[in-house]
Amino acid sequence: MTNWNVISGGWKQFSGKVKEQWGRLTDDELVQINGKRESLEGMLQQKYGYTPDEAKREVDNWISRN
């Protein structure tokens, strides 16, 4: 199981996997997120209409698979 510190530290590598999972995110948005979990969750709320709890759960589920 990957933790967020690993993802944050290797954001450039993980950002491709993030884009595979959440294809509505643009490359510019991924650069803006820059490995910050809160930024990713906020962007998911904007792009997918998730509630804060849904965004956190989606990210948790994605982390557990990567």
Side-chain angles (χ1 to χ4, degrees), residues 1-63:
M1 180 177 180
T2 305
N3 69 34
W4 192 259
N5 290 331
V6 172
I7 293 169
S8 179
W11 182 246
K12 286 186 180 184
Q13 293 80 12
F14 279 100
S15 62
K17 291 183 178 186
V18 170
K19 189 155 185 178
E20 286 177 18
Q21 177 68 31
W22 296 290
R24 294 182 194 169
L25 298 178
T26 66
D27 291 336
D28 287 343
E29 290 167 338
L30 292 172
V31 168
Q32 181 182 353
I33 292 167
N34 196 30
K36 296 179 190 87
R37 181 183 173 130
E38 297 81 17
S39 295
L40 174 59
E41 291 176 6
M43 197 65 68
L44 293 176
Q45 290 173 48
Q46 286 180 343
K47 291 286 191 161
Y48 288 86
Y50 294 155
T51 66
D53 287 341
E54 287 172 326
K56 182 181 183 328
R57 191 168 41 253
E58 285 288 320
V59 173
D60 285 343
N61 290 338
W62 178 79
I63 291 170

